[in-house]
């Protein structure tokens, strides 16, 4: 009873009494039956989904809102809850408008404040709408007061209103049975084939015979200019006869055949009887239009759907009372499904019976003007039309009160959940928990509906909000079923994800069928609420299904990523940022994360890691503190990613573990970002730079790219903006194109956007500098990168030891540039050659000309001999390419004593001199970073070499490629 009766009361409503007959007349029995069947199927499927959700655990008060928010999460819950709230509120407006229409058109027409007598067309319509607005506002204020004073009175009246509804419906069925035995006498007066408005005349005839001869009737006076027989009359009136037909011929009359198909009318069209011959003059313009029954709105199929749908809403009425039910899990499914079955049978039978009993012109006569101003469904009722008029008036008032009671409670439930911070104020109420503020809001929104004033305009609006709500109920059920959430164990077993999907599709289709414009508005409203809750960060965690979707989607995506290494075109820096923390676990180089943010135009993965020395058991609290400070800094610097803290017996191992174990599956880092060890020369800090060099070795071994910013404290924060300046790239080795890609990514960020890019390449005296510059410009053009190119010439002796085996890589770089100038067929042959040379059987040699990226994608690590250190010859190197002249037997320059050391420093100094001369004003300098020596005794010399090389430069980014191409000229 607690579910079945409230649902029946809410489902049977104003549309059944005021619009159903008109809908059958306009849409035809077949069209109307399709509409009713479609709408009832939608609600039945939704009820099945709702029953599954309602029986999956305890549903507290708040009904549908709680169901959706607890199964789809706070964002969807808030969006749908507010849609449902708006739907219920507009339903209140619709019921109030319905009751006013009953009052002013059928019960007390003389109560109208704006008189409609004698007005026609737009004026009459405007007067009617104004009456609706005034009376609607008065009734709304009265109802809101009743609800405010005490809900207990509303609940007591509910049974009375329900009795009115059931009596009215029984009266209609009784009337149908009576028409079979003895049809009622409701004559409709026709002039030709046009039904006449029955006010304004008493007899359906032009003239009457009396003792003194022929006299004219009131009807004659309507169409003629005087009561005499020689008067000038309306041409149509003269040419056509007056006749009358029975408005309700009865269920056995066979009128059903005539009413099977639709008869859609434009606004202002005449309602006409089919099958009667009329004589219309050639220029017979419509005069005296206020004497005929006219269509008041333009009608079409989708409009009927929008107007009818509210009459099947109300299926949530039972579940909204879930808090008051003794056994909600048992009552909600049985009560709701029984109520929908009952009402669907009544609606479908009503469509057929109206079509079988009532004349088409009477059905299309929305306000019963042709049948003495009676309510059309009332003419069918037995014993009297007043049974229906009074019954439907009370039922609409009751339904309006129910809406005004239910909506504020729903708003209070949403407010108290705190998912929409703006609405918190509406959670407060009177001492007994009555939602005062929410009631005021509801009355305010309801007033908007009343100001619209037309039942036919308000109905589609609330259809949208209800359809939106039902769509999400179906979605929630389908998702829970498909994701097989462990907690999804409904007691109600007769559900299936396919039914829920069908219900969802029907809801979506009906939204766009009713009105594509309103549908988009409703979706925008729901979407805005969703994004707002997401943005304000709903702190609620209800174990919802959306979380489950994210998990399934993430797992699927990770498995897909495992299928192979990314193609060069898809390569982006996936950064592992290594930061160090102080004793208080605060990050020492916050600017590293600023740089990370600026590099993230690649939108790849970011993992920020830090290493702690100690044991996991003892240092766990420090690890948590470090993780919190990392998270906080990532939030401040707007770096989206993950943080990781590793503890090991010493820092070296801990960093190594981070390098090996970070990431998951295809979401692995391919680039390590670590800052240059400051003050490495101080005696007590030996371990720091030793660890740094080991890290360089490990990244090389793991084929990871390495970025080392020097003077990280001088790098710009995310708030700074360079208005001009240059990013200078010193391209000495082609190691996978990292040097080209990084400035491009940096320049996507606001900080670096105004900077221009310059590329310097070092040539020896015997190189053809002009050709080299030309080739490099072509290469950059093909890479779609805008940069100035400059070739810097240096003496062999200046860069002697430093350039020894670089000549190999230089040679390779020249080959790349020449590659650009090859014809297409030659290029394809080259690509094939690379494929052959990069196969595992034949390791690639530095002399192999590498394309910027072979069509096949990533090369095998072996192919990247560009990865050589700057300090040794490549092992297994075949013939020396031309120009590679070097003292024999030198394996490791950094270990050479005396003369060699001096020569190495001379190299660094000379190169540094050239870089400082050209790039001292640059905002950032990017340099190739050589690999460390194989023999660890040369480590200090290596650090010294890098220090001298970068002396006098403000911001330097040392770049070491990961041994694979990261940029390609191919699309």
């Amino acid at each position: 009873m607690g579910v079945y009766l409230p649902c029946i009361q809410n489902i049977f409503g104003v549309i059944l009494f005021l619009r159903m007959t008109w809908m059958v007349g306009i849409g035809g029995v077949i069209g109307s039956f399709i509409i009713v069947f479609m709408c009832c199927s939608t609600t039945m499927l939704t009820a099945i989904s709702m029953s599954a959700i309602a029986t999956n655990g305890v549903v507290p008060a708040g009904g549908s809102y709680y169901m959706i928010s607890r199964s789809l999460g706070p964002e969807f819950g808030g969006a749908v809850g507010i849609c449902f709230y708006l739907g219920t509120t507009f339903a209140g407006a619709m019921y109030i408008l319905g009751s006013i229409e009953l009052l002013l058109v059928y019960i007390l027409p003389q109560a109208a404040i704006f008189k409609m007598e004698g007005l026609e067309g737009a004026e009459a319509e405007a007067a009617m709408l104004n009456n609706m607005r005034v009376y609607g506002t008065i009734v709304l204020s009265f109802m809101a007061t009743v609800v405010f004073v005490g809900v207990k009175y509303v609940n007591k009246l509910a049974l009375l209103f329900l009795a009115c509804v059931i009596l009215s419906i029984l009266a209609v069925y009784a009337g149908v049975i009576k028409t079979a035995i003895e049809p009622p006498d409701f004559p409709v007066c026709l002039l030709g084939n046009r039904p006449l408005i029955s006010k304004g005349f008493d007899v359906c005839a032009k003239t009457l015979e009396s003792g003194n001869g022929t006299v004219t009737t009131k009807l004659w006076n309507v169409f003629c200019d005087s009561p005499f027989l020689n008067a000038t009359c309306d041409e149509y009136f003269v040419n056509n006869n007056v006749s009358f037909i029975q408005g309700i011929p009865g269920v056995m009359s066979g009128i059903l055949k005539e009413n099977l198909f639709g008869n859609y009318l434009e606004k202002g069209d005449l309602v006409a009887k089919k099958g009667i011959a009329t004589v219309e003059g050639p220029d017979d313009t419509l005069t005296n239009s206020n004497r005929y029954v006219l269509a008041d709105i333009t009608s079409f199929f989708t409009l009927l759907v929008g107007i009818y749908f509210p009459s099947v809403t109300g299926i949530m009425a039972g579940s909204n009372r879930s808090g008051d039910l003794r056994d909600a899990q048992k009552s909600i499914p049985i009560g709701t499904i029984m109520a929908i079955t009952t009402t669907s049978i009544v609606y479908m039978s009503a469509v057929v019976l109206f079509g079988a009993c009532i004349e088409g012109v009477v059905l299309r006569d929305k306000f019963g003007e042709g049948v003495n101003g009676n309510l059309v469904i009332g003419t069918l009722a037995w014993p009297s039309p007043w049974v229906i008029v009074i019954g439907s008036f009370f039922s609409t008032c009751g339904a309006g009160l129910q809406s005004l009671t239910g909506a504020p409670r729903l708003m209070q439930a949403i407010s108290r959940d705190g998912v929409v911070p703006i609405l918190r104020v509406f959670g407060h109420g009177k001492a007994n928990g009555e939602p005062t503020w929410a009631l005021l809001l509801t009355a305010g929104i309801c007033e908007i509906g009343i100001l619209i004033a037309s039942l036919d305009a308000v109905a589609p609006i609330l259809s949208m909000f209800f359809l939106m709500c039902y769509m999400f109920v179906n979605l929630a059920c389908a998702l829970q079923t498909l994701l097989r959430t462990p907690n999804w164990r409904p007691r109600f077993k007769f559900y299936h994800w396919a039914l829920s999907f069908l219900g969802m599709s029907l809801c979506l289709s009906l939204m766009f069928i009713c009105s594509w414009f309103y549908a988009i508005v409703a979706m925008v409203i729901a979407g805005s609420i969703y994004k707002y809750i997401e943005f304000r960060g709903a702190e609620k965690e209800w174990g919802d299904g959306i979380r489950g979707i994210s998990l399934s989607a993430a797992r699927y995506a990770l498995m897909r990523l495992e299928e192979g290494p990314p193609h060069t075109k898809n390569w982006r820096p996936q950064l592992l940022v290594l930061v160090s923390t102080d004793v208080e676990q605060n990050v020492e180089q916050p600017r590293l994360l600023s740089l990370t943010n600026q590099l993230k135009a690649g939108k790849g993965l970011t993992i920020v890691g830090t290493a702690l020395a100690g044991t996991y058991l003892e240092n766990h609290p420090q690890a948590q503190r470090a993780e919190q400070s990392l998270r906080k800094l990532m939030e401040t610097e707007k770096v989206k990613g993950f943080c990781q803290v590793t503890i090991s017996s010493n820092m070296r191992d801990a960093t190594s573990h981070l390098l090996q174990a970070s990431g998951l599956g295809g979401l692995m880092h391919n680039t390590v970002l670590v800052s240059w060890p400051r003050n490495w020369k101080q005696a007590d800090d030996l371990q720091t730079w030793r660890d740094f060099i080991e890290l360089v070795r490990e990244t090389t071994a793991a084929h990871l790219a390495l970025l080392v910013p020097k003077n990280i404290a001088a790098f710009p924060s995310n708030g700074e903006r360079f208005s001009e300046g240059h990013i200078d790239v010193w391209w000495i080795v082609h190691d996978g194109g990292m040097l080209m890609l990084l400035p491009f990514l940096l320049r996507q960020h606001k900080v670096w956007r105004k900077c221009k890019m310059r590329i310097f390449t070092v040539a020896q005296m015997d190189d053809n500098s002009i050709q080299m510059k030309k080739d490099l410009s072509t290469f950059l053009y093909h890479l779609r990168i805008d940069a100035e190119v400059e070739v810097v010439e240096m003496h062999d002796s200046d860069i002697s030891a430093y350039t020894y085996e670089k000549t190999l890589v230089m040679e390779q770089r020249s080959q790349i540039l020449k590659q650009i100038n090859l014809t297409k067929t030659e290029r394809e042959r080259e690509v094939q050659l690379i494929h052959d040379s990069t196969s595992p059987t034949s390791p690639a040699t530095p002399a192999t000309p590498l394309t910027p990226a072979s069509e096949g994608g990533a090369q095998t690590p072996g192919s990247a001999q560009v990865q050589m250190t700057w300090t040794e010859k490549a092992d297994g190197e075949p013939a020396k390419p031309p120009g590679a002249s070097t003292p024999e037997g030198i394996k490791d320059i950094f270990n050479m004593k005396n003369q060699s050391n001096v020569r190495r420093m001379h190299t660094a100094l000379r190169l540094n001199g050239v870089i400082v001369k050209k790039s001292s004003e640059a905002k950032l300098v990017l340099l190739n970073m050589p690999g460390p020596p194989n023999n660890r005794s040369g480590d200090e010399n290596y650090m010294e070499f890098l220090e001298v090389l970068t002396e006098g430069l403000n911001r330097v980014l040392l770049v070491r490629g990961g041994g694979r191409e990261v940029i390609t000229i191919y699309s």
Side-chain angles (χ1 to χ4, degrees), residues 278-297:
T278 61
V279 183
E280 293 195 24
D283 55 342
D284 189 10
T285 51
L286 189 62
T287 53
N288 304 85
S289 63
N290 60 338
R291 293 292 157 236
Y292 300 114
V293 177
L294 304 176
D296 69 326
I297 56 171

Side-chain angles (χ1 to χ4, degrees), residues 29 44 68 120 149 157 205 229 263 283 292 297 301 341 486 491 507 516 586 591 607 641 693 761-762 791 825-826:
V29 171
M44 182 58 92
I68 295 163
E120 56 179 286
V149 170
L157 289 169
L229 289 171
N263 197 342
D283 55 342
Y292 300 114
I297 56 171
F301 182 78
T341 310
R491 285 188 185 283
C507 289
W516 64 268
N586 290 323
R591 282 295 159 86
I607 302 171
I693 294 181
T761 186
V762 179
V791 178
T825 49
E826 285 174 315

